[in-house]
Amino acid sequence: MDIACGTEEPTVDEWEAGQRYPTFEQLLLLAELTGFPVDWFTRTDEPLDIPHTTLWMHMTEREREQW
């Protein structure tokens, strides 16, 4: 799965653990490979703890302050 998504071990494991997030391009590949729609991978019943994810580093300083 890692190779098919253009990455290396243990990246997909980190996605599964919620420690890291795929790029949009990787997400599209993941959806194609699994047959699940893209939004399936982004649904959750639990609140997302964004400051403890790699998403935090992609936010602007203003977005972080608003969070």
Side-chain angles (χ1 to χ4, degrees):
M1 187 61 72
D2 291 273
I3 293 169
C5 288
T7 189
E8 297 178 359
E9 277 285 345
T11 304
V12 173
D13 298 327
E14 293 170 342
W15 296 346
E16 293 171 340
Q19 299 169 331
R20 200 172 180 178
Y21 294 91
T23 64
F24 187 69
E25 291 79 15
Q26 291 168 328
L27 183 59
L28 292 176
L29 287 169
L30 186 60
E32 183 178 332
L33 290 165
T34 62
F36 287 95
V38 171
D39 71 329
W40 185 87
F41 295 97
T42 59
R43 296 182 207 147
T44 181
D45 293 331
E46 299 176 19
L48 183 60
D49 190 13
I50 289 178
H52 293 101
T53 69
T54 56
L55 182 58
W56 187 252
M57 300 311 294
H58 295 279
M59 296 171 74
T60 65
E61 187 173 331
R62 182 176 178 177
E63 290 170 327
R64 290 181 198 162
E65 289 170 0
Q66 291 174 338
W67 187 260

